[in-house]
Amino acid sequence: MSRRTPATTLTTAAVALAALAALSGCADQVSSHAADGGSSGGKGPKVKIMVGGIDKVIYLPAMLSQRLGYFKDEGVNVELLSEPAGIDATTSLVAGNVQGVVGFYDHTLDLQTKGKQVESVVQLAQTPGEVEIVSNKAADELKSPKDFAGKKLGVTGLGSSTDFLTKYLGVHDGVSTDKFSNVAVGAGQTFISALQQGSIDGGMTTDPTVAHILDKKLGKVLVDMRTPEGSQQALGGLYPSSSLYMNTDWVNSHKDTVQKLANAFVRTLKWMSTHSAEEIAARMPSDYAQGGDGLYAKAIESTLPMFTEDGTMPADGPATVQRVLKSFNPNLKNATIDLRKTYTSEFTRKAG
């Protein structure tokens, strides 16, 4: 079987979003980095999509769609931009700097409680694709989330989905969020460096960072949520994560463009389901395989089970996400959330 594609050249974009820091709950400095992939070169409508880490395997369908030429085939000119943390990508969407985000679906629920109506239009993944890693130094005393108390745990950004899921794992195993510290360390080399230097005892990250850590024997897997089975064990069900989400008002006023995007993404997901990890890796930008082609293909293979084949939202997925968020987030705990407004299947049905 086979699965994925390489890149074009994105321009550098800097987005000043300090005014929205309070809304996002993120104290990190927000900067937008152009992704290696640039514009799809289509002659149709221009759409900017921010990705919460363009080289993360969990968001691979965005660049793969670009590399396969599917956006161009649909007649839509897509520019892919990248932010290291999903919360920063979301902030960029709320600020109106981009038209879409490839990031975690759970942000649509969080934003609804803040009066922002955002919806997933293509559900790329049915599980988080995240892994809780523990450093070798801390492994003897950190064997499960029950041991989170007093620990410093790395997340991509405060208010990010890794922040959400880390808090849930602790609370679910009886450790309140005030008993441990989540530390914003990004992903990739910054996460690895924090682990090596002891700035964090462990943390939540994705491939290819996971593959690099295991290959260098810098840490061990504590919780693996890359597969449906792993998601069920850790979270009690499928947890829809990576998605293309957009402001509902924009979706309703640009349905033709949204349909083109859905067509491209669904076509990519189907292509992924019939191709190998090696074939997918061969389509991606060469600099994504920083640990070598073999290690990158292995990282893709480990993460592939998370993806849907048709962009459809798992039936019980939104309810699982709501339950997880309400368990620790005071803003959501007593809030009434209309899950029907957090996603739509209108475009993926037609794409099929």
Side-chain angles (χ1 to χ4, degrees), residues 58-59 86 90 101-108 127-130 161-162 165 206 239-243 245 306:
I58 59 172
Y59 299 140
T90 300
V101 167
V102 170
F104 267 43
Y105 161 73
D106 52 21
H107 289 295
T108 67
T127 74
E130 302 280 356
S161 295
T162 52
L165 289 170
T206 62
Y239 191 96
S241 58
S242 306
S243 65
Y245 60 83
M306 74 178 286

Side-chain angles (χ1 to χ4, degrees), residues 90-111:
T90 300
T91 304
S92 196
L93 177 70
V94 172
N97 294 299
V98 297
Q99 289 73 55
V101 167
V102 170
F104 267 43
Y105 161 73
D106 52 21
H107 289 295
T108 67
L109 280 71
D110 188 49
L111 286 170

Side-chain angles (χ1 to χ4, degrees), residues 3-333:
R3 309 191 172 201
R4 340 250 189 240
T5 317
T8 44
T9 313
L10 292 179
T11 51
T12 303
V15 184
L17 299 171
L20 286 167
L23 170 67
S24 66
C26 176
D28 302 339
Q29 180 180 2
V30 179
S31 64
S32 165
H33 306 287
D36 177 20
S39 168
S40 60
K43 295 182 179 179
K46 177 70 175 289
V47 178
K48 290 183 179 181
I49 297 177
M50 187 69 77
V51 186
I54 193 72
D55 57 351
K56 295 177 184 177
V57 177
I58 59 172
Y59 299 140
L60 182 150
M63 180 57 72
L64 183 56
S65 296
Q66 192 90 296
R67 304 284 284 187
L68 289 170
Y70 291 167
F71 293 135
K72 187 174 182 180
D73 287 350
E74 289 294 329
V76 60
N77 186 2
V78 172
E79 182 179 6
L80 296 177
L81 303 169
S82 183
E83 281 285 6
I87 183 60
D88 295 342
T90 300
T91 304
S92 196
L93 177 70
V94 172
N97 294 299
V98 297
Q99 289 73 55
V101 167
V102 170
F104 267 43
Y105 161 73
D106 52 21
H107 289 295
T108 67
L109 280 71
D110 188 49
L111 286 170
Q112 192 180 114
T113 67
K114 296 167 182 172
K116 304 295 180 180
Q117 194 57 57
V118 174
E119 61 187 13
S120 165
V121 296
V122 182
Q123 194 57 47
L124 303 173
Q126 59 187 339
T127 74
E130 302 280 356
V131 176
E132 185 72 23
I133 292 282
V134 59
S135 70
N136 291 331
K137 184 178 180 181
D140 288 342
E141 56 185 31
L142 180 51
K143 298 181 182 298
S144 80
K146 293 180 181 179
D147 304 318
F148 275 4
K151 301 299 186 295
K152 294 175 292 183
L153 303 171
V155 297
T156 54
L158 301 182
S160 68
S161 295
T162 52
D163 185 36
F164 292 164
L165 289 170
T166 301
K167 288 176 178 176
Y168 172 77
L169 292 178
V171 169
H172 181 262
D173 275 10
V175 185
S176 60
T177 58
D178 61 337
K179 299 298 183 183
F180 57 91
S181 302
N182 282 358
V183 183
V185 294
Q189 190 53 52
T190 56
F191 184 98
I192 294 172
S193 295
L195 199 68
Q196 287 178 302
Q197 295 167 7
S199 302
I200 55 174
D201 300 298
M204 190 170 292
T205 190
T206 62
D207 279 309
T209 307
V210 174
H212 284 288
I213 290 171
L214 298 181
D215 182 63
K216 295 178 180 178
K217 296 180 172 53
L218 300 176
K220 302 174 182 178
V221 173
L222 204 65
V223 180
D224 192 338
M225 295 177 284
R226 290 176 290 189
T227 66
E229 295 77 16
S231 180
Q232 178 69 46
Q233 183 176 356
L235 305 173
L238 292 179
Y239 191 96
S241 58
S242 306
S243 65
L244 171 64
Y245 60 83
M246 313 179 91
N247 285 310
T248 300
D249 286 345
W250 197 91
V251 171
N252 291 337
S253 60
H254 296 81
K255 288 197 172 187
D256 184 60
T257 300
V258 176
Q259 187 63 61
K260 292 176 186 294
L261 293 170
N263 291 346
F265 274 111
V266 171
R267 187 179 174 190
T268 297
L269 291 169
K270 291 182 182 297
W271 190 92
M272 289 167 61
S273 71
T274 59
H275 289 74
S276 70
E278 290 76 15
E279 289 172 307
I280 295 167
R283 294 281 193 163
M284 298 299 289
S286 58
D287 61 342
Y288 285 17
Q290 294 181 6
D293 293 343
L295 188 62
Y296 185 53
K298 184 177 180 180
I300 292 174
E301 183 176 16
S302 298
T303 305
L304 280 178
M306 74 178 286
F307 294 108
T308 67
E309 293 187 14
D310 58 6
T312 300
M313 175 67 75
D316 297 328
T320 299
V321 172
Q322 179 175 236
R323 174 176 52 77
V324 167
L325 295 182
K326 280 180 174 288
S327 71
F328 67 85
N329 190 324
N331 293 330
L332 277 82
K333 193 166 187 177

